[in-house]
Amino acid sequence: MYKHKHSYKTLWFGLAGAFVVIVGSILFGYAQGQKQEAEKMNPTKPVPADAELREKLTKDQYKVTRQCGTETPFHNAYRDNHKPGIYVDLITGEPLFSSLDKFDSGTGWPSFTKPIKPANVTEKRDTSYGMERTEVRAKSSDSHLGHLFDDGPAPTGQRFCVNSAALRFVPVEKLKEEGYGEYASLFQPQPQQQTAGEQQQAKK
């Protein structure tokens, strides 16, 4: 009789333990899912310590972003990239530029007429190499991006000359998946405005 009671007790303890493990796994999976969703909603990451950046970034990426270096013109990732999407800060993921504002400046570096959000980019006076220039930096990471010139096309007349090594490109088809869904509407076909003649014709 005692052996039977002992066996039942062991069985119940085993079932209870299995139940706890199963519930724990479900809750852990749910928490991980919630965390991933939160990251998608807020893709901007904090700035890692310098030691971590040295380990994660390539030599060129670190030199450009943390030491104000300049990559080789005509031999970089995004100079000739014509795909629709946005360019984000390599380090934090903060949105910086849009392909809609990108143009071929002939300089060998990605060039843009404006930032996707002016508040995400800061400007700083640069007198290095005996020149008077305006340096462009990412606000959240304080990374060096490139320089701003006043020889760009209309409508801004500005040219944000940016190093590919400071950027990461997110194609339009992955904007929502990576947490940048709010920018997808920029790439939707815009309704054409009717001319005065077409409006008059429509009234007849």
Side-chain angles (χ1 to χ4, degrees):
M1 193 70 176
Y2 174 76
K3 288 184 179 180
H4 284 301
K5 286 183 179 181
H6 183 71
S7 298
Y8 285 135
K9 185 180 290 186
T10 302
L11 177 63
W12 280 112
F13 275 123
L15 290 174
F19 178 76
V20 169
V21 170
I22 292 171
V23 171
S25 299
I26 293 173
L27 291 176
F28 179 76
Y30 177 77
Q32 288 296 103
Q34 291 294 100
K35 181 181 178 181
Q36 290 175 358
E37 286 300 313
E39 289 177 349
K40 286 183 179 181
M41 292 297 291
N42 182 25
T44 303
K45 309 292 190 300
V47 181
D50 187 69
E52 185 177 344
L53 288 176
R54 284 181 180 273
E55 184 178 333
K56 285 186 173 182
L57 302 182
T58 67
K59 184 178 179 180
D60 281 346
Q61 288 172 339
Y62 186 86
K63 181 180 178 181
V64 167
T65 59
R66 311 324 275 175
Q67 299 176 330
C68 299
T70 301
E71 66 192 1
T72 306
F74 299 101
H75 295 281
N76 50 76
Y78 303 128
R79 175 193 68 85
D80 202 30
N81 181 33
H82 301 293
K83 296 179 181 179
I86 67 172
Y87 295 82
V88 303
D89 186 339
L90 175 71
I91 293 175
T92 65
E94 182 177 45
L96 298 175
F97 299 97
S98 165
S99 63
L100 298 173
D101 304 310
K102 188 173 183 287
F103 68 99
D104 185 2
S105 63
T107 60
W109 293 284
S111 297
F112 305 87
T113 56
K114 63 181 181 179
I116 198 168
K117 279 186 177 180
N120 292 355
V121 174
T122 61
E123 299 174 13
K124 181 181 178 182
R125 186 185 177 204
D126 180 7
T127 58
S128 61
Y129 303 104
M131 295 184 284
E132 184 76 29
R133 296 181 294 174
T134 300
E135 181 192 7
V136 179
R137 303 184 72 87
K139 184 178 181 180
S140 64
S141 66
D142 194 35
S143 293
H144 172 75
L145 300 176
H147 289 87
L148 172 61
F149 303 94
D150 60 2
D151 58 2
T156 66
Q158 295 183 317
R159 171 169 63 94
F160 287 81
C161 188
V162 184
N163 291 278
S164 293
L167 305 172
R168 183 174 73 86
F169 179 68
V170 183
V172 66
E173 64 270 16
K174 290 190 175 182
L175 290 177
K176 188 174 181 181
E177 175 187 334
E178 295 199 22
Y180 301 100
E182 64 181 291
Y183 299 99
S185 61
L186 297 175
F187 301 91
Q188 299 298 321
Q190 301 297 318
Q192 293 183 345
Q193 291 186 344
Q194 289 183 322
T195 63
E198 290 173 334
Q199 291 176 355
Q200 192 67 26
Q201 187 67 28
K203 292 179 180 178
K204 291 182 179 181

